[in-house]
Amino acid sequence: MSLITPQINSDYVAAARCEGSHIFDRDGNSWIDGASGSIACSIGHAHPTVVQAMSEACQQTSFVYRTQFTNPEIERLSARLCERLGYAASFFVNSGSEAVETAMRSAQQYWRERGQGTKTRILSRRLSYHGSTIGSLSLSGHWPRRRSAGPLYGEPTQPTPYPFRAPKNDTLAAYGVACANELEREVQQLGQDNIAAFILEPIIGASGAAIVPPKEYMQRVRALCDQYDVLLIADEVLTGLGRTGNWLAMEHFGVKADIVCLGKGLNAGYFPISAVLVSADVYDHMANGSGAFELGHTHSNHPIGAAVGNAVLDVLEEERLVERAEWYGRGLKSKLKKVCSGHTIVGDVRGEGMLIGIELVDPTNWNNPFPPAFKTAARATQTAFERGLVIYPAAGFAGVLGGDAIIVAPPFNISEQATEQLVDRVDQTLASLSDAVFQQRRNTHAA
Ligand SMILES: Cc1ncc(COP(=O)(O)O)c(C=O)c1O
């Protein structure tokens, strides 16, 4: 095959058709999409509202270039997002990685416009994923992905609160505040004149499987950013537009960022469109300063992507799917907790809304991670796949490339019946995985 796939010498199933929460191949096999693809397809596959909007958009304005034209769909999408989420302006790119790059450059431009051109550095956290371009990966604390790239521009330095492995003698609130105080220490060390922004995922996605920080952490981070003139960038590429049961995950903490990145939840997997939203303060300094925004891509502000974004918003609003993600996700998490309680290899079930992480641990070793060589998360994903379930692996977040988890994140409108099957297949997957890893443990000890 000439197509380059993630594991070049492996075979991949060709998906022939997708509908709702299911993916089908040519031979009639089907999978429940328990990961919404890559945690993107929030409204399910082949939703008629989006299909129709895309087709109409193609017939009207298939493409115009942003240096000469805007288009009605993109203006409408921008206005709707800004009004709903409380921001002043937005810009559209293709991928989440590009949204992060755009956020970085917007933050740097903001300080230039204010006559503080030395404020360029962006701080980030040691457990995080912000994308696969060199700039966004440089900010990312996703160590397995960083290892395959290089050289990168700097490293993430800030701690990511991780309640499951927090020091046991602290309250979670105190632990959260202590993590946030590291930001103050670093800003003082580097000098606030050099720091443009701090970027974080409000709830960790791919790099740690739905790790939720204590509220006090986020509130302290916001206060420190204000105190030291550091912009706060929320990377909501994965969490944005309802995944965690709120339109933005930052709402869980009652905190508002200065710049927000959106991606997967905006395009719901239908078309590559992602966005950056900025506060009135950021926008006004650009508009009243140089008046220029000199970055973007050929397909920025794309009319078909915009039609998709508007249709996704229509579906989320009309079918009240963000609300559903909250209450249905709560129910799903308790069902998963129940089946997981029967498996000693599960250390933690966490998350908010339809973003649920299940951390896999070695119960024979104080719930420490399994050795990385066991590839426990990858095996869990493969085992589930063989049982007709797609889940998302997360690895390398605890200790030296240890730490395994799976993410369950189905479309917000998954049916009751598919949910029952999903939970049952997670149960079967964990049972089969336990047998396999304990056998491997015994073999390792015997050798
Ligand atoms: C939080 C976060 N930011 C950025 C990205 C990068 O998005 P993309 O893969 O669309 O470039 C991802 C992708 O998983 C993500 O989860």
Side-chain angles (χ1 to χ4, degrees):
M1 178 160 81
S2 57
L3 180 68
I4 298 176
T5 52
Q7 295 301 320
I8 293 175
N9 299 314
S10 297
D11 290 330
Y12 287 78
V13 174
R17 186 170 69 83
C18 302
E19 194 181 325
S21 299
H22 288 85
I23 300 168
F24 303 86
D25 72 5
R26 296 190 198 101
D27 304 321
N29 299 308
S30 71
W31 288 262
I32 296 172
D33 192 356
S36 301
S38 63
I39 319 181
C41 303
S42 51
I43 60 169
H45 298 271
H47 196 294
T49 304
V50 186
V51 173
Q52 188 182 342
M54 276 180 95
S55 139
E56 285 173 5
C58 289
Q59 293 166 49
Q60 281 163 3
T61 315
S62 56
F63 179 70
V64 284
Y65 192 45
R66 71 178 193 289
T67 57
Q68 292 100 22
F69 296 98
T70 75
N71 61 83
E73 284 286 355
I74 203 76
E75 289 187 19
R76 183 161 166 257
L77 180 61
S78 178
R80 286 175 83 181
L81 287 173
C82 287
E83 189 183 332
R84 176 164 286 288
L85 305 177
Y87 285 87
S90 65
F91 184 71
F92 297 86
V93 293
N94 309 287
S95 65
S97 306
E98 289 165 291
V100 168
E101 298 271 351
T102 307
M104 293 164 73
R105 290 188 52 189
S106 301
Q108 290 163 341
Q109 177 173 347
Y110 168 79
W111 291 112
R112 265 199 316 278
E113 304 279 10
R114 291 190 58 174
Q116 298 183 62
T118 58
K119 285 173 78 69
T120 54
R121 197 148 164 183
I122 319 267
L123 302 180
S124 64
R125 305 191 303 179
R126 293 194 293 268
L127 260 192
S128 58
Y129 182 61
H130 298 295
S132 65
T133 52
I134 297 287
S136 61
L137 190 59
S138 297
L139 295 178
S140 301
H142 191 304
W143 303 94
R145 290 183 188 167
R146 284 181 75 95
R147 276 202 309 180
S148 62
L152 295 172
Y153 299 108
E155 278 200 3
T157 46
Q158 283 294 304
T160 306
Y162 181 5
F164 178 57
R165 296 194 186 279
K168 296 290 175 244
N169 45 355
D170 263 357
T171 62
L172 272 185
Y175 167 63
V177 171
C179 289
N181 285 342
E182 285 297 305
L183 180 63
E184 179 168 45
R185 198 194 50 74
E186 190 170 12
V187 172
Q188 286 177 346
Q189 192 176 49
L190 297 174
Q192 75 182 75
D193 289 350
N194 298 310
I195 315 291
F198 177 43
I199 185 167
L200 49 73
E201 294 162 83
I203 295 179
I204 292 285
S207 64
I211 298 176
V212 185
K215 202 178 194 164
E216 292 77 5
Y217 166 79
M218 206 63 84
Q219 293 176 340
R220 178 78 181 136
V221 162
R222 179 69 270 183
L224 288 170
C225 287
D226 291 341
Q227 185 181 339
Y228 290 98
D229 277 346
V230 171
L231 292 177
L232 180 58
I233 303 174
D235 178 354
E236 299 237 19
V237 166
L238 186 143
T239 51
L241 300 196
R243 174 56 63 187
T244 67
N246 277 327
W247 283 90
L248 291 179
M250 283 301 244
E251 291 168 32
H252 290 285
F253 314 104
V255 168
K256 197 159 170 222
D258 303 291
I259 301 178
V260 177
C261 304
L262 298 176
K264 298 162 188 272
L266 172 63
N267 58 57
Y270 286 86
F271 189 92
I273 181 165
S274 296
V276 171
L277 273 62
V278 298
S279 68
D281 180 39
V282 173
Y283 179 66
D284 289 348
H285 277 94
M286 290 177 178
N288 303 329
S290 68
F293 192 66
E294 288 176 353
L295 58 140
H297 306 270
T298 298
H299 294 94
S300 283
N301 299 346
H302 199 287
I304 298 174
V308 166
N310 277 313
V312 169
L313 282 180
D314 289 343
V315 174
L316 291 173
E317 287 169 0
E318 283 160 20
E319 300 180 19
R320 302 185 68 80
L321 289 184
V322 178
E323 290 85 337
R324 189 175 199 263
E326 194 278 320
W327 64 262
Y328 201 80
R330 212 163 355 102
L332 175 59
K333 187 162 79 175
S334 67
K335 286 184 179 128
L336 287 169
K337 276 193 164 165
K338 199 161 161 214
V339 296
C340 287
S341 66
H343 298 285
T344 55
I345 59 165
V346 174
D348 192 26
V349 181
R350 55 185 177 238
E352 292 288 349
M354 295 293 254
L355 180 66
I356 301 165
I358 301 177
E359 181 161 343
L360 305 169
V361 296
D362 183 351
T364 64
N365 183 21
W366 308 102
N367 286 351
N368 276 320
F370 284 107
F374 281 26
K375 297 189 183 309
T376 310
R379 278 159 71 173
T381 312
Q382 181 57 31
T383 308
F385 197 81
E386 286 157 11
R387 284 162 179 71
L389 173 65
V390 180
I391 50 176
Y392 194 93
F397 52 84
V400 184
L401 295 185
D404 291 277
I406 53 174
I407 301 176
V408 176
F412 307 166
N413 50 6
I414 186 171
S415 68
E416 291 277 353
Q417 191 193 12
T419 306
E420 294 310 319
Q421 288 171 339
L422 178 155
V423 173
D424 193 41
R425 289 176 198 180
V426 168
D427 193 16
Q428 292 170 28
T429 297
L430 293 171
S432 162
L433 184 72
S434 300
D435 291 347
V437 289
F438 288 132
Q439 186 56 48
Q440 185 163 0
R441 250 260 162 275
R442 282 192 289 275
N443 295 346
T444 316
H445 283 314

